[in-house]
Amino acid sequence: MLKLDHLAVAGETLAEAVAHVETALGVKMGPGGEHAHFGTHNQLIGLADGLYLEAIATNPAAGDLPYPRWFDLDRLEGAPRLGNWICRTDDMDAELARLDVDAGKVVHLTRGDLRWRMAVPDSGVLPFDNRFPALIQWDVVVTPAEILKPSGVALVQLEVAHPEAETLQASVGLDDPRVEYVAGAPALQATFDTPHGRRVLR
């Protein structure tokens, strides 16, 4: 069974992605790290209920890669935005076999002491115009959400918009009342309770 793990805000630069999050939520993001395999870097913020939020961008120090980056970052242009949602599974192989869409191939990744598996399409583009969640399986006892300092921010609702919203919902098969699927142009919108009141991140 899938569970919501974290959300990702993408930007052309990490500084832009971080500023987008901090402006929207009114809280400061903490440090993150680098993902050597995909040539990206991030910063993180802990959310309530075992979730977290990352700002992510291509690392200019990484150079070109012989394959697409995850989260479709190679094609990202314009203002930073909430680009992806990531769901956790305890059995990646079984989950990929269950799905009726191609959610990607398993890539084994590390960052510091963290170890995890990610399903990444060869194109870097997830099904349903990137509105399908990226799938992750943590191979550590303590996940980032459990390490990060609480920020006083809690996810209230994640709105997943797509012209085929009902088909997308059925394909994902996630049981989480915070996630709402709506018919419309592909987009993500998250509503949070913060120390400064309710805020929306797009």
Side-chain angles (χ1 to χ4, degrees):
M1 180 180 295
L2 292 178
K3 294 183 179 180
L4 187 60
D5 189 77
H6 68 281
L7 306 177
V9 169
E12 290 191 23
T13 70
L14 183 55
E16 290 174 332
V18 169
H20 184 67
V21 173
E22 293 181 344
T23 299
L25 302 184
V27 295
K28 290 290 186 182
M29 299 198 76
E34 299 181 358
H35 315 104
H37 182 82
F38 284 112
T40 58
H41 52 175
N42 70 357
Q43 287 187 229
L44 308 173
I45 183 173
L47 306 175
D49 304 315
L51 303 178
Y52 70 97
L53 175 67
E54 73 171 324
I56 189 167
T58 296
N59 186 348
D64 294 332
L65 299 179
Y67 45 81
R69 288 177 171 82
W70 54 0
F71 299 139
D72 202 15
L73 286 173
D74 289 324
R75 300 193 307 168
L76 181 71
E77 294 181 344
R81 69 201 69 130
L82 181 59
N84 293 91
W85 55 306
I86 297 87
C87 287
R88 181 173 71 252
T89 177
D90 293 328
D91 190 336
M92 180 70 82
D93 292 336
E95 195 63 43
L96 292 176
R98 175 191 70 84
L99 295 173
D100 57 3
V101 298
D102 181 8
K105 296 177 182 177
V106 178
V107 181
H108 292 258
L109 300 166
T110 64
R111 181 172 71 79
D113 293 331
L114 294 174
R115 302 285 184 276
W116 71 99
R117 292 170 240 181
M118 200 89 178
V120 182
D122 289 337
S123 64
V125 183
L126 287 156
F128 293 94
D129 305 292
N130 280 318
R131 297 291 71 87
F132 195 86
L135 304 184
I136 191 170
Q137 179 177 345
W138 290 104
D139 292 326
V140 291
V141 176
V142 181
T143 67
E146 299 170 284
I147 300 171
L148 293 167
K149 180 181 177 181
S151 62
V153 178
L155 177 69
V156 176
Q157 183 184 66
L158 173 64
E159 187 177 283
V160 183
H162 192 272
E164 301 177 71
E166 291 186 4
T167 304
L168 171 58
Q169 180 176 3
S171 183
V172 175
L174 173 71
D175 183 17
D176 191 320
R178 295 168 298 187
V179 180
E180 180 181 359
Y181 303 83
V182 299
L188 295 176
Q189 175 178 293
T191 302
F192 298 91
D193 280 335
T194 79
H196 313 289
R198 188 153 288 188
R199 298 288 185 92
V200 174
L201 177 65
R202 298 180 178 89

